[in-house]
Amino acid sequence: MVDWVAKKRVFDALEARSSLASALDRMRAIDLQYHDMNPDRCLAHRMGLVTLVSADAVARAVDEPPHDTRAYFRGECIRKWPREVSAANWDSLVFDIGGPLLQRVPMMDPLKGTRELTGELLSSVRDVDQLLDALGGGSTERVDSDPGW
């Protein structure tokens, strides 16, 4: 069963057995317990969900992103320039290269940041300025470094 479907079933069962007011706090606790990395406390593990990836593979993935998705580009940029990466999420990287504006690199297509497509570029540039220049003005956008949030 897909992980999120199993988790939703747990929440649906809890909601059906409890009043909404009492269920909310329990749902928050279950949400955390479901993903607890300790196997003795992990609700997903205790439910008997099958683990598809070994613990060793997970440990390797912390430092070595998959080579066949945009995670490769994102991970390599974070590894090479941790001080310049201001933010990283699924579909973009934001670099702080010292000016009044941050530089956002959109990565909307999950298959366009692969090692095959970006490995040579990442090997050929020595800093973020060169990377941004190589990507060209059309591949980045300027972001206010103080959005006022």
Side-chain angles (χ1 to χ4, degrees):
M1 180 182 307
V2 177
D3 178 65
W4 66 267
V5 173
K7 187 174 177 182
K8 178 157 181 5
R9 286 186 177 174
V10 170
F11 284 149
D12 289 348
L14 175 63
E15 189 175 23
R17 289 192 315 257
S18 307
S19 70
L20 185 57
S22 67
L24 287 177
D25 287 336
R26 290 183 67 199
M27 284 182 174
R28 287 184 185 113
I30 286 172
D31 187 32
L32 293 173
Q33 187 180 7
Y34 188 87
H35 297 286
D36 194 314
M37 296 304 290
N38 181 329
D40 296 331
R41 294 191 306 251
C42 176
L43 186 56
H45 181 71
R46 290 180 18 213
M47 289 173 53
L49 293 181
V50 176
T51 301
L52 300 176
V53 180
S54 72
D56 289 340
V58 171
R60 271 193 314 277
V62 168
D63 294 317
E64 184 182 330
H67 297 161
D68 58 352
T69 72
R70 64 187 164 201
Y72 174 78
F73 179 79
R74 181 178 51 242
E76 285 299 296
C77 286
I78 291 169
R79 183 185 64 76
K80 288 181 79 160
W81 305 295
R83 290 187 181 113
E84 288 85 358
V85 175
S86 175
N89 61 42
W90 294 107
D91 59 7
S92 70
L93 276 171
V94 179
F95 292 99
D96 183 346
I97 54 173
L101 297 175
L102 302 174
Q103 300 291 315
R104 180 177 178 270
V105 177
M107 302 182 306
M108 302 309 288
D109 187 334
L111 301 177
K112 288 200 175 165
T114 65
R115 180 172 62 183
E116 182 180 347
L117 295 174
T118 64
E120 188 174 316
L121 168 67
L122 289 168
S123 296
S124 70
V125 297
R126 71 177 178 276
D127 57 34
V128 175
D129 288 322
Q130 280 191 339
L131 174 68
L132 295 173
D133 286 345
L135 290 174
S139 297
T140 65
E141 58 189 64
R142 296 167 67 154
V143 180
D144 189 341
S145 61
D146 183 14
W149 296 333

